[in-house]
Amino acid sequence: MNRGPRVLLILLSVIAATQAVAQDWSKQAIRVEHSTDRLARLHDKIQSQGTAALKDIASQVEWVISVNSSSEPNSIYNAQGRKVEIPDAFVARTINLARMATLATQSGELNCIARYRKHMDRTGSRTVPEKYLEQTGADCSAMRARLPLGALQEARAEQELDATLEFAYLHELGHQYHNHYRVPLPPDVATPQHQCDYLRIKALYRAMEYEADDFAVDALASLGDSAIVLSMANMWLPEPVDPDPGNIARSEMLSQRLSEHPVSILRYIRVLDRTSGVLARQPNVNPEILQIIQQFIDVQKRAEQFIAESDEELSPC
């Protein structure tokens, strides 16, 4: 039985939200103000509760909510100093996805969320869910009929935004802590040696992402915030998860060897795995969530074996 979509729906609503005043997230000024306040409070918490290493690196790195940069968080380390940039475009995408996800009550509707994310990634558009759903077909009509979002839904979406902001900042801080830098790729891949160098450097980039994720997970544990990883499902899992690695698109999995970032599904499971020990010691965490995490870990192991076997067949090295 395919439990993947049901599992994701549980994760989307795992933490109960409190009532909150809805904000007009379509306005950049509101997004920037909210994000700036959230990261300022996180920085204060780091200085009061973080480990010595976390405090030290956070004090060295400037952070900024950028309105004129790329769509992904970025870590900068050069002669001008150290900086972490969280783009407003990233904030907008996150809150849009989070608000859209609160409308989903059936596993099939996760495909509507997946298409919405792809639309934003492909076009750069940050159209709010209400406008996007006006243009969708019958398969998303039930979600459209549930508009407008209620106070509880808005609170859940804001909770996911805050969790994602916190993790993204700590992830980029992890790059700073480990002094990660970009190794230049070969100028071409015309020779087998250059092809192997290219694949080796891409694998190094992915290893750096995992290392930064580990730093973020450990930092959350030191701050007592480990449970927030359960509120970030839309950042990592925009599509339903299939428990059979053979049914996960082969092209997506094999594309990892050419990518600078690990496959998002496997990356999120790794984050959950590293966090599960801390969560298991917290009395307020639903035991079913821990079981779901273990199921995901089993999927990850089989999927990574599938990738490794395929890589061995294709590798020119």
Side-chain angles (χ1 to χ4, degrees):
M1 177 179 173
N2 185 347
R3 298 185 65 206
R6 172 180 166 271
V7 162
L8 181 51
L9 280 173
I10 292 174
L11 277 179
L12 293 180
S13 58
V14 64
I15 299 179
T18 57
Q19 296 293 320
V21 177
Q23 304 205 62
D24 185 354
W25 296 108
S26 66
K27 296 182 178 179
Q28 184 180 80
I30 288 178
R31 296 193 302 267
V32 171
E33 180 181 8
H34 179 90
S35 303
T36 300
D37 177 70
R38 187 68 189 183
L39 289 187
R41 283 187 284 156
L42 173 59
H43 197 268
D44 289 344
K45 189 173 185 178
I46 288 172
Q47 294 308 318
S48 64
Q49 298 179 220
T51 63
L54 180 57
K55 291 178 183 178
D56 182 58
I57 191 62
S59 65
Q60 296 180 46
V61 179
E62 176 190 3
W63 59 267
V64 62
I65 305 298
S66 173
V67 297
N68 294 311
S69 63
S70 67
S71 61
E72 296 295 336
N74 188 29
S75 175
I76 302 168
Y77 181 22
N78 54 33
Q80 284 70 50
R82 296 176 178 266
K83 179 187 291 187
V84 167
E85 289 186 345
I86 306 294
D88 172 63
F90 173 79
V91 177
R93 182 182 62 178
T94 300
I95 191 62
N96 283 348
L97 279 171
R99 294 181 72 245
M100 180 83 155
T102 65
L103 295 169
T105 61
Q106 303 173 33
S107 60
E109 293 173 342
L110 298 178
N111 291 317
C112 297
I113 303 172
R115 290 201 300 273
Y116 182 41
R117 175 170 183 162
K118 288 179 180 178
H119 166 74
M120 288 194 289
D121 290 345
R122 184 180 67 253
T123 66
S125 167
R126 292 298 180 264
T127 303
V128 296
E130 290 88 343
K131 294 293 184 182
Y132 176 81
L133 286 171
E134 289 178 1
Q135 307 164 19
T136 56
D139 55 339
C140 297
S141 60
M143 295 179 71
R144 186 165 58 244
R146 297 185 195 113
L147 291 169
L149 272 65
L152 184 60
Q153 291 170 306
E154 294 285 7
R156 283 175 52 196
E158 185 174 320
Q159 183 181 45
E160 176 156 349
L161 171 62
D162 291 345
T164 302
L165 279 171
E166 188 166 337
F167 189 90
Y169 168 73
L170 292 172
H171 171 92
E172 296 305 324
L173 211 58
H175 284 307
Q176 296 280 349
Y177 177 78
H178 290 292
N179 292 314
H180 289 160
Y181 65 93
R182 291 189 65 83
V183 178
L185 291 166
D188 60 65
V189 289
T191 67
Q193 182 59 52
H194 280 178
Q195 292 170 15
C196 291
D197 289 344
Y198 179 88
L199 293 175
R200 176 182 57 81
I201 294 171
K202 288 287 188 174
L204 175 63
Y205 289 161
R206 296 193 296 273
M208 290 179 182
E209 295 302 318
Y210 279 139
E211 196 168 36
D213 282 346
D214 290 348
F215 178 91
V217 169
D218 295 345
L220 289 173
S222 74
L223 298 172
D225 287 346
S226 293
I228 74 165
V229 301
L230 300 176
S231 296
M232 302 190 305
N234 289 301
M235 177 180 177
W236 307 93
L237 298 172
E239 299 183 62
V241 178
D242 193 310
D244 184 354
N247 292 335
I248 299 175
R250 182 181 180 90
S251 60
E252 178 182 350
M253 298 184 72
L254 296 184
S255 70
Q256 173 168 263
R257 70 201 309 265
L258 303 178
S259 172
E260 297 181 8
H261 287 76
V263 173
S264 62
I265 292 174
L266 303 184
R267 187 176 169 190
Y268 183 53
I269 296 171
R270 194 175 184 276
V271 167
L272 291 174
D273 187 6
R274 194 173 180 91
T275 308
S276 60
V278 177
L279 295 177
R281 296 192 294 271
Q282 297 185 1
N284 59 333
V285 174
N286 186 338
E288 186 176 4
I289 295 303
L290 299 176
Q291 295 175 4
I292 291 170
I293 291 175
Q294 187 56 56
Q295 290 174 354
F296 276 167
I297 293 169
D298 293 341
V299 171
Q300 179 196 35
K301 290 178 179 177
R302 287 184 288 151
E304 289 186 337
Q305 181 179 358
F306 177 82
I307 292 174
E309 292 172 352
S310 299
D311 274 356
E312 187 175 355
E313 290 180 14
L314 296 173
S315 177
C317 308

